[in-house]
Amino acid sequence: MINLALEGLRILDMTQIAAGPYATLLLGFMGADIIKVESCSRMDINRGLARPTPETYRMYPQGVPGERPWNRSAHHVHRNVNKRSVTLDLAHPRGKALFIQLAAACDALIENYRASVLDRLGLGYPVLAAANPRLIYVKISSQGATGPERDYGSLGSTLEQTAGLASITGYADGRPLMTNETYPDPVVGLLAVGALLAALRRRRRTGTGTFVDLSQREVSVALLGEAVVDYSLSGRVAAPIGNAHPLMVPHGVYPCRGEDRWVALAVSADEEWRGLCRAIGQPGLAEDARFATPQARQRHHADLDALIASWTRERDHYQAMHLLQDHGVPAGAVLTGGEVIADPHLEARKFWDTVDHPEAGTYRQVTTPWKLSKQPRRATSPAPGLGEHNQQILGELLGLSTQDIAALEAQGVIGTQPTDSGEA
């Protein structure tokens, strides 16, 4: 029998919104047992509101909140597959004690609260490490666990600004633009996976756990790359230039046949330039004095863009991509969400799973952006309902009796429905 790569690894998931849930989503696909901890008074924001308003209905499949909207929000359904859910009121002494017991039974904990949240609850790394010296504690926070802004909060959209990323996106002489996809969050999630694996390797050598301080802002700053190096060496401040590139020409997005259809291409080498000229049926352009060198193409980029656009407008965006790629030109059709889901290449790669969620219905789920040749990934299990696995986790893992668990529910320490304050 082929085991999953991280089978046997148990992770306590204290994450919410995007960055942390992406990390634990990927770890779950690799076989880790992900135990997601929430409370009925403080659900993961991904679950949306306990009592949605019409303005928030777009968060739900078909715009219908259903009887238990907290279990069928699209954000929750997408980001929390392959996880088990337990609820604990961490403000209650019994909830704190059970949480420490859970941490003692786990290999790692991942959380992305503000820097001091769990410390203020008396559940920070020193407390948990005392209960479990082998625990790896991955703390994802906006500004890092130290420094004057350690308790500041953020979302991906604000991190793009404070990290400087928005200063080089958008258009010249325009206001800073957000990606509207909270770009830093999934990047942080991916890097959190790597940081955890590094800490696990260290534990294999030393036998002890460690505290991983992962700053979302610092990850976002790292995305600026050469703009930071250029300023530090020359004092030049990078500015937004739209879809253009300071060195690559041509570089941009060109209109294709049909409504709002486009193809993107980027030429970084002479051979790619000659390939582009052959692809559009004008090999002589390669020797045209206006375009013979990158510098010349920069000076005459408007004329060049018009020539390329006249060719792309006559073709479907997929057709343009394939023709350009056949001539060695990096190019990609600009796809809508529906086209991505139906893309034949992703289908051939078995990137998607079809998931039958008990409350949200049947949908297509993204999986992992990598494949291991010797071990498969886990098939997707639906995102859990709030507290769906209370009996299983508290009973089987911590050894509580049915009567103990019933008493916890009666006291409000656990539950399966939000309380009046249980809104994200």
Side-chain angles (χ1 to χ4, degrees):
M1 179 179 178
I2 300 176
N3 294 325
L4 300 171
L6 295 182
E7 190 169 342
L9 187 73
R10 185 179 295 130
I11 298 174
L12 204 54
D13 180 356
M14 297 289 291
T15 69
Q16 58 176 339
I17 310 178
Y22 277 128
T24 49
L25 174 149
L26 293 168
L27 292 162
F29 271 119
M30 297 171 71
D33 178 15
I34 309 296
I35 299 176
K36 185 174 180 66
V37 180
E38 305 168 80
S39 77
C40 294
S41 62
R42 185 63 171 82
M43 304 182 298
D44 181 351
I45 295 174
N46 277 324
R47 290 187 183 271
L49 302 175
R51 291 170 297 283
T53 61
E55 292 77 19
T56 62
Y57 283 5
R58 65 186 183 279
M59 297 176 59
Y60 305 96
Q62 295 85 46
V64 178
E67 293 182 9
R68 290 172 291 275
W70 53 88
N71 289 341
R72 62 181 263 123
S73 161
H75 291 310
H76 165 68
V77 166
H78 164 64
R79 295 172 184 166
N80 287 297
V81 298
N82 300 330
K83 303 178 185 181
R84 297 193 287 167
S85 172
V86 63
T87 51
L88 286 174
D89 180 358
L90 298 183
H92 192 287
R94 187 70 173 123
K96 288 183 180 181
L98 290 169
F99 181 78
I100 293 172
Q101 284 183 257
L102 276 177
C106 289
D107 296 284
L109 178 149
I110 303 179
E111 55 107 333
N112 64 329
Y113 295 114
R114 294 190 188 215
S116 61
V117 167
L118 288 188
D119 287 319
R120 292 199 306 269
L121 286 169
L123 297 171
Y125 176 65
V127 173
L128 300 183
N132 180 3
R134 289 175 55 81
L135 183 73
I136 295 167
Y137 187 124
V138 180
K139 174 158 198 58
I140 303 169
S141 61
S142 171
Q143 314 293 85
T146 61
E149 297 175 6
R150 65 188 294 264
D151 285 317
Y152 284 17
S154 68
L155 293 172
S157 51
T158 60
L159 284 167
E160 292 176 9
Q161 320 303 313
T162 55
L165 186 61
S167 71
I168 58 172
T169 58
Y171 299 94
D173 302 321
R175 68 178 64 185
L177 294 178
M178 300 178 184
T179 65
N180 282 328
E181 283 300 323
T182 59
Y183 182 67
D185 283 337
V187 177
V188 170
L190 283 164
L191 292 180
V193 172
L196 174 61
L197 295 178
L200 286 168
R201 188 172 188 274
R202 176 192 175 278
R203 188 178 73 177
R204 180 181 294 177
R205 295 200 315 270
T206 66
T208 59
T210 191
F211 179 79
V212 179
D213 174 8
L214 180 53
S215 162
Q216 292 179 272
R217 185 176 181 185
E218 288 165 29
V219 168
S220 305
V221 170
L223 298 174
L224 271 67
E226 65 272 15
V228 172
V229 175
D230 187 28
Y231 178 78
S232 66
L233 293 175
S234 68
R236 285 190 297 265
V237 177
I241 54 176
N243 289 329
H245 190 276
L247 300 176
M248 299 184 201
V249 189
H251 183 284
V253 179
Y254 300 86
C256 292
R257 188 174 63 225
E259 184 179 353
D260 197 24
R261 292 291 184 265
W262 306 81
V263 67
L265 64 88
V267 170
S268 62
D270 287 342
E271 183 53 40
E272 292 170 1
W273 164 239
R274 289 190 289 271
L276 172 63
C277 295
R278 292 191 298 270
I280 67 175
Q282 298 194 52
L285 280 181
E287 309 305 326
D288 188 314
R290 295 174 300 166
F291 312 127
T293 66
Q295 294 78 11
R297 293 196 291 275
Q298 282 280 17
R299 289 193 299 271
H300 299 282
H301 71 88
D303 293 338
L304 181 55
D305 285 347
L307 285 167
I308 296 170
S310 67
W311 180 82
T312 58
R313 281 194 184 94
E314 301 300 317
R315 286 156 182 84
D316 168 81
H317 56 331
Y318 264 112
Q319 180 191 19
M321 174 181 73
H322 294 317
L323 284 169
L324 290 164
Q325 288 281 357
D326 287 345
H327 286 84
V329 182
V334 179
L335 303 181
T336 64
E339 287 176 314
V340 170
I341 290 176
D343 183 75
H345 178 78
L346 294 178
E347 189 69 34
R349 293 268 301 165
K350 296 180 169 51
F351 176 69
W352 304 101
D353 273 359
T354 299
V355 181
D356 186 13
H357 190 280
E359 299 198 43
T362 302
Y363 75 100
R364 298 274 266 174
Q365 170 72 37
V366 302
T367 59
T368 56
W370 58 71
K371 296 179 183 297
L372 303 182
S373 64
K374 304 297 184 184
Q375 292 159 313
R377 64 169 174 79
R378 171 182 283 158
T380 306
S381 61
L386 184 67
E388 179 180 340
H389 301 96
N390 285 345
Q391 294 279 342
Q392 186 182 96
I393 292 167
L394 299 177
E396 296 177 12
L397 186 58
L398 298 189
L400 272 63
S401 68
T402 303
Q403 293 77 14
D404 290 335
I405 295 171
L408 289 172
E409 188 158 9
Q411 295 165 16
V413 178
I414 66 172
T416 57
Q417 293 191 28
T419 59
D420 286 344
S421 59
E423 297 184 354

